[in-house]
Amino acid sequence: ALPSEMPSLIPSNKPSSTYSFSPTISAAPSSSPITSVELQRRQDITTAVTAISGSATIDDTTTPQHTALAWLLFDDDLQLNASSPNLGQRYSMSTLYFATTNNGQTTWINCGADASTSSCSSESQRFLSSSSECDWLGITCNGSGEITNIDIRENGLAGDVSVIIKELVSLSSSLEGLRLSINALSSTIPTEIGQLSNLQSLFLNNNNLVGTIPTSLGNLNKLSIFSVGNNGMDGTIPGEIFHPTLVGLDLDDNNFHGTLPSEMFTSSLDLRNIDIGGNNFKGMIPKGFGNLPKIALLRINNCTLEGELPPELFVSTSLRMMVVSDNNLNGSLPDELYGATSLQMLDLSSNEFSGTVSTDIGNLKALKTLELQSNKFVGTMPSTLGLLSNLETVYVSFNLFNGTVPEEVCDLRNSSAKFTELVADCNGTLPRVTCTCCSACEVGL
């Protein structure tokens, strides 16, 4: 008996597929009988993909899974059978394509199935081409032909990310990397993400995702990079996501709130890149950052944080970038800051910092960008800034600095081709600061 889950596909020569880009889509002549071998092939493939996606999903003619099955049965030049070792992953990749192109009605920027609307540097890379799915754009396979990495960033993908991730569960034994950044994917990250047990990197940043971070991410004990920045997600940050393997965390520009979980400072001690700015975190910066000695990048800007800068922020000898701008931070700068000699960028702008800037800032020999604008710093600019030969930009306007920009700073500004921007409060009828070498002058406070 034919399987009940696909009565519309098995006995017919051509399904009622919704995609129409392929020149081979026209139905086979009705005079061409279906052989018993072909009928069995269709039945076996249908059974195999139904085991992956479920009968309800396959039965629904509007789903990308249904369309992907139809493509496998009727239009895939490889004409695989159920025993083909790559059937499952070829089905998953074709489902990914149909799920992100409205069942083939739209296309991708590069290497979409329709050659008339999507360019591709090599036809073997084109999705749904006759080449191995391992050759398709952004797909990497291991020596056994199993998919290990999917990297289709910035390529016009649109659709429900939960559909994609659920279908990738069948690749969980081999999939190590998933990167779908800078597209137009929507919906929520499903709990099934926790079944991708070998995943090491997950990049879903710069899409239109909503909802919360599923706690099932805690099952991914090999995950080293988790990036969902620049979406519309919300909720609190679950402590479950912090494993010893995590080194990169990108949550910036969402609507996360609450406080940072303690697990961040006790379970993921190898964290190197932390970008959590542009959220709604409250309270003070946790002192737990002192437990993370390998931080190279720390962005916690625009989070309405308050209080002083904890000295512990500067314990990492690898710290190259610190951005804490657009908060409500106050107080004087800790002495420990001047010992962070690997710093290349320091942005403290748009806070309520006060006091003077120590002459010890001359210790920061790697510094390229210094942004102190829109605070309440007083005194004169330290002459030791002139020792920082790597400087490119210095913004000190909208403060309470006074006096003259030191000659040493102007000498560096005039002699260095890199030092292109120096902005101070040197404008107005009674300027706070006198500057003969500034690239721009503000009226200031």
Side-chain angles (χ1 to χ4, degrees), residues 163-397:
V163 172
I164 299 169
I165 290 174
K166 289 175 182 178
E167 293 303 323
L168 293 180
V169 170
S170 62
L171 308 181
S172 61
S173 63
S174 62
L175 189 63
E176 298 174 353
L178 177 61
R179 188 167 197 149
L180 302 175
S181 312
I182 319 177
N183 285 295
L185 300 174
S186 57
S187 192
T188 61
I189 301 175
T191 58
E192 286 83 356
I193 190 72
Q195 297 180 41
L196 299 179
S197 56
N198 282 298
L199 206 62
Q200 298 176 20
S201 61
L202 177 60
F203 292 89
L204 297 174
N205 55 289
N206 296 79
N207 280 288
N208 301 315
L209 307 184
V210 296
T212 60
I213 299 174
T215 57
S216 61
L217 273 169
N219 298 330
L220 306 185
N221 57 17
K222 297 180 182 180
L223 194 66
S224 62
I225 300 175
F226 177 52
S227 176
V228 291
N230 294 95
N231 280 290
M233 300 180 69
D234 55 25
T236 58
I237 309 303
E240 288 87 346
I241 70 174
F242 294 99
H243 281 287
T245 55
L246 193 67
V247 298
L249 179 66
D250 170 25
L251 307 177
D252 76 304
D253 293 320
N254 280 282
N255 298 304
F256 297 120
H257 61 265
T259 58
L260 300 177
S262 60
E263 291 89 345
M264 179 174 179
F265 310 110
T266 58
S267 299
S268 297
L269 303 184
D270 286 335
L271 273 168
R272 292 172 174 82
N273 296 330
I274 303 174
D275 188 352
I276 55 177
N279 285 290
N280 298 314
F281 301 123
K282 302 291 183 182
M284 304 194 329
I285 298 176
K287 293 184 178 180
F289 281 101
N291 296 335
L292 308 178
K294 298 181 181 180
I295 294 179
L297 179 152
L298 178 60
R299 290 185 70 246
I300 47 177
N301 57 299
N302 193 24
C303 286
T304 65
L305 296 171
E306 56 190 23
E308 299 184 355
L309 274 184
E312 293 86 354
L313 286 179
F314 304 97
V315 299
S316 172
T317 58
S318 303
L319 186 63
R320 298 192 306 273
M321 177 186 293
M322 173 172 286
V323 181
V324 295
S325 58
D326 296 283
N327 283 293
N328 298 313
L329 301 171
N330 55 48
S332 58
L333 302 183
D335 291 340
E336 287 79 2
L337 184 156
Y338 305 109
T341 55
S342 295
L343 265 177
Q344 297 179 18
M345 179 178 184
L346 177 63
D347 185 354
L348 308 178
S349 62
S350 299
N351 281 288
E352 300 290 327
F353 291 119
S354 58
T356 61
V357 177
S358 170
T359 57
D360 288 339
I361 199 168
N363 296 334
L364 306 183
K365 295 296 196 294
L367 199 63
K368 297 180 180 180
T369 299
L370 176 64
E371 299 197 32
L372 303 178
Q373 70 269 28
S374 300
N375 280 288
K376 296 179 180 178
F377 291 114
V378 298
T380 59
M381 291 176 58
S383 61
T384 50
L385 279 172
L387 299 174
L388 308 183
S389 58
N390 289 302
L391 275 179
E392 298 175 359
T393 57
V394 174
Y395 299 103
V396 293
S397 56

Side-chain angles (χ1 to χ4, degrees), residues 93-114:
M93 291 302 94
S94 56
T95 297
L96 184 154
Y97 181 77
F98 289 119
T100 56
T101 58
N102 189 24
N103 278 341
Q105 298 303 302
T106 60
T107 191
W108 292 350
I109 298 172
N110 296 305
C111 295
D114 188 351

